[in-house]
Amino acid sequence: MPVMMAVAFLAGLTGCSRPEPEQAKTVLVVAARPAEDPAGVAIGVVRSASLHAVAAQNGGRVEKLLVDVGAHVRAGQVLAMFDSRAENLKLASATADAARLSAVAEERRHNFKRMDALMRASAISQSAFDAAKADARSTEKAAASARDLAALAKRDLDLTAVRSPIDGVVAARPVRLSDTVAPGTVMFEVDGQGPREVVTSAPAAAVALLQPGMSLRLRMNGSEGRGVVTEIGERVSANSSRDIRVRIASGDFAPGSVVEIVLAPDRTKAAGALVPASAVIAPAGTAKAVFIVTADGRLKRVPVSLKAIGSAGALVDGAVRPGDRVVAAGASFLTDGMAVKPVLTAR
């Protein structure tokens, strides 16, 4: 009897126990966006079509920086100065040598004129006359060479001042005070305030639909403008892209701005939705799919077909609508119907 009572008591406890609640798994989700062909969008940086790179011709140690980014400058204005002590010494020495040799050459010219007059009067020998003539010529050549060296020293001194080639605005200044720069190093970029352009690359299939003169839509942080295709590269790169150059016709896009170029404005709208490429899963032997989070916090596996993929994401067709919460990553480790805690993340 006691044993039967104990068994009945344990059975009663077992019947009263409840299953543990299902633990919701945290997943990162994004909102599916309206469909837009990702191959129809390229990203580029706005630059001035009249941007001039100002490089150091001789190089040296930067002693003075006279302008900063954003400064308005005039053609010929000094932007920076190198340490010029060595160049000043060379110029002083070369100038002194040129002056000394010029004086010697002048003296030898006068001597040759005198010897020439004596020779006409048969007062000196031919050898004395020839020696005076050779002496005058050699000293004149030496004086001319010294003057050339002085001119070169003057040029080197002038090059210790870095000047703007155009009127414009300083767009970049990659050097710092006391830097030692090599000849040819770009020290400033001066924007001539002319037309702006975007030079970028895009999938070759999309670029094949373009032609010079075509008007394209530009976008940046909600603002829009227009651009005109001015140049299309012929070479296809290893990643199947081609270069394009677009001149900005309208829109407030300052040099340095990052803009989207809609390459085929009449073909951007499509059926389906745009989701992160990492959201699309395709386990072996199964169709492609994405997981969406339902209103009750559970996962729903939705079969999709992949129409295109690019930098903007994956364009999918199926029962996915703009605004649906799509699992952004790690979907391969999830199961249909699982309870989840969605965390919205940036695209």
Side-chain angles (χ1 to χ4, degrees):
M1 182 64 69
V3 173
M4 294 178 62
M5 292 178 64
V7 171
F9 178 72
L10 290 173
L13 288 178
T14 303
C16 294
S17 63
R18 297 179 180 178
E20 294 184 3
E22 184 179 358
Q23 295 294 320
K25 183 179 179 62
T26 300
V27 292
L28 297 178
V29 300
V30 297
R33 290 179 283 164
E36 184 175 83
D37 185 353
V41 177
I43 307 296
V45 178
V46 178
R47 71 179 193 183
S48 172
S50 58
L51 193 67
H52 288 254
V54 184
Q57 292 193 42
N58 283 3
R61 187 179 67 83
V62 180
E63 188 173 66
K64 295 179 181 179
L65 286 174
L66 305 176
V67 296
D68 205 344
V69 174
H72 289 263
V73 296
R74 306 290 295 178
Q77 180 177 335
V78 177
L79 309 179
M81 294 287 298
F82 290 120
D83 182 354
S84 61
R85 287 174 294 182
E87 286 75 14
N88 276 308
L89 289 174
K90 290 179 182 177
L91 177 59
S93 176
T95 301
D97 286 345
R100 178 178 59 80
L101 289 172
S102 292
V104 172
E106 182 67 20
E107 177 187 346
R108 301 298 162 81
R109 281 195 299 272
H110 285 298
N111 181 61
F112 173 67
K113 288 180 180 180
R114 184 174 62 83
M115 298 296 282
D116 183 54
L118 292 174
M119 183 65 182
R120 291 176 186 277
S122 301
I124 60 171
S125 65
Q126 183 66 42
S127 60
F129 173 79
D130 290 342
K133 183 178 180 180
D135 197 18
R137 286 180 175 177
S138 64
T139 54
E140 182 55 43
K141 288 181 179 180
S145 178
R147 288 192 293 271
D148 289 341
L149 290 175
L152 288 174
K154 176 64 168 58
R155 188 207 64 173
D156 288 345
L157 179 61
D158 290 342
L159 291 179
T160 61
V162 181
R163 301 175 184 274
S164 175
I166 59 170
D167 295 348
V169 176
V170 178
R173 194 193 73 181
V175 297
R176 297 173 297 179
L177 195 65
S178 297
D179 281 355
T180 299
V181 300
T185 301
V186 174
M187 300 181 63
F188 299 89
E189 290 183 353
V190 180
D191 180 0
Q193 301 289 281
R196 293 157 294 156
E197 66 180 6
V198 182
V199 179
T200 187
S201 60
V207 176
L209 302 174
L210 306 180
Q211 56 184 326
M214 179 179 289
S215 176
L216 301 177
R217 188 156 51 103
L218 308 177
R219 304 182 304 204
M220 181 188 73
N221 298 331
S223 62
E224 293 200 1
R226 304 295 299 185
V228 177
V229 178
T230 58
E231 186 178 334
I232 299 175
E234 294 294 333
R235 188 178 65 86
V236 179
S237 68
N239 62 349
S240 299
S241 65
R242 290 169 62 185
D243 293 336
I244 58 172
R245 186 185 302 269
V246 178
R247 177 177 55 81
I248 296 177
S250 66
D252 187 18
F253 306 121
S257 303
V258 178
V259 299
E260 290 182 329
I261 305 173
V262 182
L263 300 175
D266 56 336
R267 300 174 61 250
T268 56
K269 296 302 179 184
L274 198 61
V275 301
S278 57
V280 182
I281 59 172
T286 64
K288 294 180 176 61
V290 299
F291 278 109
I292 64 174
V293 180
T294 61
D296 60 355
R298 291 190 175 275
L299 294 178
K300 180 181 179 181
R301 182 188 176 95
V302 178
V304 296
S305 59
L306 184 61
K307 302 179 65 176
I309 189 168
S311 60
L315 180 61
V316 298
D317 197 10
V320 182
R321 300 290 179 264
D324 284 347
R325 295 179 297 173
V326 178
V327 176
S332 299
F333 302 98
L334 305 177
T335 58
D336 197 20
M338 177 185 291
V340 293
K341 181 188 297 182
V343 176
L344 191 65
T345 183
R347 290 197 266 280

